[in-house]
Amino acid sequence: MVGFFSGLFGTNTAAVVDSEKATVNDSIIYDTVPCLAPPSDIHVDATPGATPEEQAIVDAISTQRDELLADLPEESADAVARFDADKWLNAQNILIYVRANKGDKNKAVRGLRNTLEWRRTYRPHAITPESMQAEAATGKQYVNGYDKGGRPVIYMYPHRQNTKEAKENLKWVVYTMEQAIRSMPAGATKITIVIDVSKYTMSHAVPLSTAREFLHILESHYPERLHKAFVVSPPIYFVMFYHIVAPFIDPVTKAKIAFVDPTGEKVKKNSGTGKSDGPWVDIFEHIAPECLECDAGGKWNFRYKQEDYWPELEKSYNS
């Protein structure tokens, strides 16, 4: 998993970004205002409530509330509001950790405590849009729109990487996850990721230490948040590498990874044959064509433009 997702970050890709700018069709009027709030008529595939067995574990963990909240690390002093640990430790978040740990109460308690401590020290709530402007300049990763189940969509374009500082890269990942959670309509708890690797090269790979930290944060502090990760136009060596690591990927996680061929040929080729060279899917069964960005193979003529995206991001952050 570490190696598979290491391509989500990159190195020096300014030439690719400039090439993208050069291919913009001037005859097309592009939408540059993002969708960060759910439309009033949005359909939501609400996350199922707790089963009786899960509820019993949630109730048992709730009796340890004082213990979980006791002696948390002190936050650094600044003008940003404090992390409200008591509010965060709600029934929904407890259930998420119960499910992430397959009903193991003790593991769920440890996971909750670790995340409470991490949120006090890392302070994701205190990462401001202003502090992330440099990371977001090229549109390498951002929240925009919803899938057919009402889940926020995070777009990742690793070839648009514009910075080399691992610490800031990770902070932008965390901010994006927090923004996706802020954008969730009532009843939704998961996100969908669309990763365009059509321009991916081995030069985009990062040190394993950075990839491990990235995965550690997502798996430890955002468990049960991923609905589906669509990998768009994966190169052949990317698909080959997937098949090498696939046997070692947790089956639940593996079921969430899907490859997308914008031409649709891969799905047609594998349909009804009983054979497949990868988990190819029709992404339009999950995201409506008009809600999928054109750069990811959809019909939404959206182009990231920071000066237009940022006011909407700040509005969402401050709401």
Side-chain angles (χ1 to χ4, degrees), residues 166-208:
K167 181 179 178 181
E168 293 303 301
N169 284 173
L170 289 169
K171 190 182 290 186
W172 182 230
V173 170
V174 170
Y175 183 92
T176 304
M177 289 298 297
E178 293 290 311
Q179 177 56 50
I181 293 170
R182 280 192 290 270
S183 296
M184 287 178 180
T189 63
K190 296 180 182 288
I191 55 103
T192 289
I193 298 177
V194 175
I195 314 165
D196 173 23
V197 292
S198 60
K199 299 179 180 66
Y200 179 92
T201 68
M202 294 307 291
S203 66
H204 298 145
V206 298
L208 282 178

Side-chain angles (χ1 to χ4, degrees), residues 32 34 36 128-137 172 175 304-316:
T32 58
L36 300 180
T128 64
E130 182 181 10
S131 69
M132 290 284 96
Q133 282 189 304
E135 284 295 317
W172 182 230
Y175 183 92
Y304 181 86
K305 193 174 182 182
Q306 190 176 28
E307 54 264 43
D308 293 338
Y309 187 94
W310 221 247
E312 298 301 314
L313 188 71
E314 291 177 326
K315 187 191 305 181
S316 177

